[in-house]
Amino acid sequence: LRKNIGSVVDLQPVDWEDIGGLEEVKTEIRQSLEWPLLYPNALKRMDVTATKGILLYGPPGCCKTTLVRAAATSCHVTFLSLNGAQIYSPYVGESERLLSETFQKARALSPCILFFDEIESLIGKRSSGSGQSRVQERILATLLNEMDGIGASLDQKMDASIVHNHGDDEPTNKSQIINESSRIIVIGATNRPDMLDGAILRPGRLDKLIYVPPPNELSRRAILQIQTSCIPNNGLDLLELSKKTEFFSGADLKNLCKEAGLICLRLGLWQENKAIVTQEHFLKALDIVKPSLSEQILKQY
Ligand code: ATP
């Protein structure tokens, strides 16, 4: 049975404005992702080597996947998303074939973002020699091969295009150069950078590491602002809530808003569409929703 993977994801659009806080991370991602995908010639002319691969790492529920979706939305490029379960197969050679086919698809549909969520499940550290780790080793070898290939084909095509350009300041046929280039950026996301095989982090691979931190008080306020903006409420004290939510991830804050809404519905006049969420509902919700992060967890990063 041949698995069919790597299909173009029906990307649910995410605006950069839907993401609270993380301003520096957003800027860094835009530079290392949007510039090479959208303006490769400008980078080439400045002799800046474009990033081929980015690793987003940080605690769970803190926006890694959402950031990649926002970048893909704003670039308007093809977005292919995969996880370990989609690629992993116990049949010899099957995982490698699936991975190579995905890269082929990415090349055909470039410019393209190829996203590996929870990448540690795909290419964890080489260890025991068990069946699973042998598959992981082969997946890693294929991934490294494919990533090395992206650079080679991009550089060759860019060089060829620029030679034909006779050294003009502006490329004579800029759109042609851009279209011809197989521009693919590979992005991995992980909560466990310590589990990754070091080979994937070497230069020319996932060599741009971006830490996505947990939200601080200011960011929590910004996230709550975004997440409560579509909930009917009578004016919430977000400052108080942001102070009371230390160690909450963005996902936890989302849960908190959902729980406050449910509490309100349970107590309120929901039949008449009059339910309004109040600060009290949020404070009650805080008794139920607990933070998923802790000092101990954050120490790992
Ligand atoms: P995991 O590592 O568990 O896969 P993640 O870091 O990829 O998690 P996301 O899946 O992007 O996190 O986020 C989980 C949910 O929390 C999403 O619905 C997202 O919208 C929300 N969220 C997290 N951080 C933020 C933020 N800074 N602003 C707005 N929403 C956020």
Side-chain angles (χ1 to χ4, degrees):
L1 182 68
R2 283 164 73 94
K3 282 198 201 175
N4 183 18
I5 54 155
S7 50
V8 183
V9 168
D10 186 9
L11 178 68
Q12 214 188 347
V14 177
D15 257 3
W16 288 112
E17 284 71 37
D18 297 336
I19 296 175
L22 295 173
E23 295 311 326
E24 282 173 24
V25 174
K26 285 187 210 172
T27 307
E28 218 176 331
I29 291 180
R30 293 185 92 141
Q31 277 184 16
S32 26
L33 203 136
E34 288 185 6
W35 289 4
L37 284 174
L38 301 181
Y39 317 112
N41 301 315
L43 291 185
K44 184 82 185 170
R45 287 182 64 221
M46 292 293 160
D47 203 21
V48 175
T49 309
T51 314
K52 281 194 282 170
I54 301 172
L55 180 72
L56 298 183
Y57 70 100
C62 290
C63 215
K64 296 181 293 299
T65 310
T66 309
L67 284 161
V68 178
R69 288 180 174 268
T73 306
S74 72
C75 290
H76 302 288
V77 297
T78 309
F79 181 64
L80 297 178
S81 175
L82 290 172
N83 58 38
Q86 285 170 297
I87 294 227
Y88 185 84
S89 165
Y91 299 107
V92 175
E94 176 78 350
S95 299
E96 299 93 298
R97 182 186 65 74
L98 290 168
L99 194 54
S100 293
E101 279 180 7
T102 305
F103 271 88
Q104 254 171 39
K105 197 174 274 184
R107 276 190 290 275
L109 297 172
S110 75
C112 175
I113 292 173
L114 183 46
F115 178 48
F116 293 98
D117 207 358
E118 295 170 15
I119 193 168
E120 77 285 352
S121 66
L122 198 62
I123 47 164
K125 277 200 171 111
R126 287 170 264 203
S127 54
S128 59
S130 67
Q132 174 164 0
S133 93
R134 277 196 298 274
V135 176
Q136 285 193 336
E137 269 179 38
R138 293 201 306 262
I139 292 177
L140 175 65
T142 310
L143 185 59
L144 298 180
N145 238 338
E146 292 289 351
M147 285 206 68
D148 294 348
I150 294 174
S153 65
L154 174 60
D155 286 346
Q156 277 161 17
K157 284 177 180 172
M158 294 296 292
D159 286 345
S161 305
I162 282 173
V163 168
H164 289 155
N165 204 20
H166 302 300
D168 290 353
D169 257 8
E170 275 302 303
T172 42
N173 196 348
K174 199 169 175 178
S175 61
Q176 189 191 350
I177 295 173
I178 290 173
N179 287 333
E180 278 173 3
S181 311
S182 55
R183 279 170 291 138
I184 303 168
I185 296 206
V186 178
I187 306 186
T190 183
N191 303 326
R192 296 295 311 269
D194 55 309
M195 300 250 300
L196 287 177
D197 193 297
I200 193 65
L201 304 176
R202 291 204 194 113
R205 292 156 181 182
L206 300 185
D207 55 3
K208 174 82 187 166
L209 303 189
I210 302 181
Y211 176 54
V212 183
N216 59 18
E217 193 184 310
L218 207 63
S219 300
R220 293 198 295 274
R221 199 168 156 190
I223 295 171
L224 286 166
Q225 177 74 51
I226 292 166
Q227 292 177 345
T228 54
S229 62
C230 51
I231 302 176
N233 67 76
N234 66 349
L236 300 163
D237 182 351
L238 298 183
L239 185 61
E240 181 188 20
L241 295 178
S242 61
K243 283 186 190 303
K244 290 192 165 176
T245 45
E246 198 185 1
F247 295 123
F248 275 58
S249 67
D252 297 334
L253 293 171
K254 198 170 180 175
N255 275 341
L256 182 73
C257 294
K258 193 174 112 195
E259 194 57 47
L262 288 173
I263 291 172
C264 166
L265 287 180
R266 266 181 235 132
L267 302 173
L269 299 161
W270 59 271
Q271 305 92 327
E272 295 173 38
N273 245 356
K274 284 188 186 159
I276 299 264
V277 179
T278 65
Q279 189 76 1
E280 205 186 322
H281 299 140
F282 266 90
L283 296 179
K284 283 203 171 95
L286 276 174
D287 290 336
I288 299 167
V289 182
K290 296 296 170 198
S292 58
L293 307 177
S294 65
E295 222 160 285
Q296 185 70 17
I297 291 176
L298 297 180
K299 253 194 222 154
Q300 298 171 31
Y301 302 98

